[in-house]
Amino acid sequence: MLSMSSAFLYALLTNRVLLVDFGPDMTHLFSEPVPNSTWLFPEDFRFGNRIYGSKVDDFGSLMKKKNNNYTDPVLVNISSSFLHVNLGYGYDDYDKLFYSNGVQDGLQKVAWLILKSDQYFVPYLFLMSGFRAKLDRMFPDKEAVFHHLGRYLFTPSDQAWGLIARFYDAYLEKADERIGLQIRVLDSKASPTALVLKQVLRCAQKLVSKKTSYHKAVLVASLSSEFYIELKDMFYEEVAVGFHQASREEVQRSNDGSHNMMAWVDIYLLSLCDVLVTSGWSTFGYVAQGLGGLRPWILQIPDTKYGGGDTLWGQACRRAVSMEPCFHFPPSYDDNKVGVRVDGSSTVVHCEDVGGGLKLVNL
């Protein structure tokens, strides 16, 4: 969803039409964003084999052939009408030259861009001089870019909405306040259940106060049921606090339609909460906070491998500076090679949870 919204914005900026290639595990999640039209890639498209076969030129490979260094890179003499662009995790420095203004001029001559990504690369579009003026007109509020894109593109399907509505009506609607806890453990050895639970409690202690008399409904979104069970048991005698969990998948699965459906239900339910606590590095949480227009409290990751710190002895969570998602793996060129600078005077800053990541904020 993050990469699709990024691709949609890029399509708007470059006067392209966006088509998405959903696998069978994705087709039942969303309603069509444009009435009487479709954004789905045609199954019988006659160039399909060419797009997914070996005949398509690769952007990174072409840039490696044409540029001996990163200074003023350009893309010229592209004879193919199709070009594959890799902007996903693990892309190399030549792939990252996609974000250079000189290269963008050359890409305008390519009819079909087959873009593959798992990143929210919108923040870097704001650092490109060729796009900045148009983006400033489109989004005067820099902290609501994904909020607007996501709310336009991602409406739950009838099947998804039925699941969302039934759970919300049964467990969340009558609460005076709805609190969402999104817990994602990236490394169970470095972040055992007891440690994460202690973090959650320390972070949420001011949100779930035993002194309040009105009812709070706490939605726990996690692959594991452990956190839900532990929290429910801890607050068993507190009638003013209720804990609920919509799904308990236990393990993450790929290419599974029912698994993806429950993930989408959890995300949307989190977006309907009044207060949100999310896990650092979690794109799941990013989507929920963006759709809901919520500036979350972010649980800091104890494992320094992921850019966090020993938050058990420090700050368990911190408030996000904006509700915008983080671009985890942006280009890391020197300023004189890409012509941009990220500092305190920019609307693009480093993320709270990912040291090298970038996100949008208002000045």
Side-chain angles (χ1 to χ4, degrees):
M1 294 172 70
L2 295 173
S3 58
M4 286 164 60
S5 60
S6 302
F8 176 68
L9 180 56
Y10 178 75
L12 291 177
L13 293 171
T14 57
N15 296 315
R16 293 180 179 273
V17 173
L18 175 68
L19 293 175
V20 294
D21 183 22
F22 282 161
D25 60 317
M26 294 281 289
T27 54
H28 62 307
L29 300 181
F30 311 113
S31 298
E32 291 281 359
V34 180
N36 303 316
S37 183
T38 182
W39 62 346
L40 298 180
F41 195 82
E43 294 182 2
D44 58 349
F45 187 59
R46 65 189 182 95
F47 292 124
N49 290 335
R50 184 174 184 180
I51 287 181
Y52 295 106
S54 59
K55 296 182 179 180
V56 179
D57 289 327
D58 178 72
F59 170 79
S61 298
L62 289 177
M63 294 304 297
K64 188 173 183 179
K65 293 178 182 178
K66 295 175 180 295
N67 295 273
N68 294 324
N69 54 58
Y70 301 125
T71 304
D72 194 25
V74 294
L75 183 65
V76 295
N77 299 326
I78 299 298
S79 57
S80 176
S81 298
F82 299 85
L83 189 62
H84 178 268
V85 179
N86 175 29
L87 298 182
Y89 172 74
Y91 65 153
D92 63 25
D93 287 343
Y94 290 101
D95 294 318
K96 294 174 183 178
L97 290 176
F98 172 86
Y99 297 107
S100 300
N101 289 301
V103 167
Q104 286 299 320
D105 293 337
L107 289 177
Q108 288 296 313
K109 302 173 185 177
V110 181
W112 289 82
L113 292 181
I114 300 94
L115 191 151
K116 184 176 181 180
S117 176
D118 55 5
Q119 298 290 304
Y120 180 69
F121 56 85
V122 167
Y124 220 90
L125 299 179
F126 277 80
L127 294 175
M128 300 170 67
S129 59
F131 296 146
R132 186 57 191 260
K134 185 180 292 187
L135 286 168
D136 284 341
R137 292 194 299 270
M138 294 170 66
F139 300 102
D141 184 356
K142 305 300 185 293
E143 298 183 9
V145 176
F146 179 74
H147 179 70
H148 292 302
L149 293 174
R151 300 276 289 190
Y152 177 75
L153 291 175
F154 306 118
T155 301
S157 64
D158 290 343
Q159 180 183 353
W161 188 250
L163 295 170
I164 293 166
R166 284 194 293 273
F167 187 91
Y168 185 87
D169 293 344
Y171 302 109
L172 304 179
E173 181 182 24
K174 295 180 181 179
D176 296 301
E177 185 177 29
R178 287 159 286 275
I179 300 171
L181 295 180
Q182 185 266 323
I183 304 173
R184 181 71 165 100
V185 178
L186 297 176
D187 187 337
S188 58
K189 292 183 179 180
S191 303
T193 300
L195 176 62
V196 176
L197 191 61
K198 189 175 293 187
Q199 272 190 285
V200 172
L201 290 174
R202 179 177 291 184
C203 180
Q205 61 184 349
K206 63 180 66 176
L207 305 178
V208 188
S209 173
K210 296 183 180 181
K211 297 180 180 180
T212 58
S213 58
Y214 61 94
H215 179 63
K216 297 183 182 223
V218 182
L219 172 65
V220 181
S222 175
L223 282 173
S224 172
S225 59
E226 289 182 285
F227 302 106
Y228 163 71
I229 294 172
E230 290 284 347
L231 289 167
K232 188 174 182 179
D233 289 345
M234 285 181 181
F235 288 86
Y236 177 75
E237 297 181 356
E238 298 301 321
V239 295
V241 180
F243 288 85
H244 312 283
Q245 187 170 28
S247 67
R248 307 176 193 181
E249 298 291 294
E250 300 303 336
V251 294
Q252 183 169 332
R253 299 190 296 272
S254 301
N255 304 316
D256 186 315
S258 61
H259 181 78
N260 289 343
M261 175 62 75
M262 293 314 301
W264 177 215
V265 169
D266 271 339
I267 288 173
Y268 205 88
L269 286 170
L270 286 170
S271 76
L272 298 177
C273 292
D274 304 302
V275 179
L276 193 59
V277 178
T278 63
S279 297
W281 277 81
S282 176
T283 54
F284 194 103
Y286 295 162
V287 176
Q289 70 195 42
L291 291 179
L294 301 167
R295 191 160 63 93
W297 292 88
I298 305 175
L299 294 170
Q300 302 299 288
I301 301 175
D303 187 4
T304 56
K305 173 183 177 182
Y306 294 105
D310 187 359
T311 56
L312 180 61
W313 308 115
Q315 192 176 25
C317 62
R318 59 187 298 189
R319 192 76 184 275
V321 295
S322 81
M323 61 183 171
E324 274 290 293
C326 177
F327 180 9
H328 282 177
F329 301 105
S332 55
Y333 309 125
D334 295 335
D335 291 338
N336 62 342
K337 292 178 180 177
V338 293
V340 299
R341 181 180 295 276
V342 181
D343 57 28
S345 63
S346 173
T347 58
V348 181
V349 299
H350 289 295
C351 308
E352 305 90 346
D353 53 333
V354 183
L358 300 177
K359 70 184 300 182
L360 290 166
V361 297
N362 288 323
L363 286 176

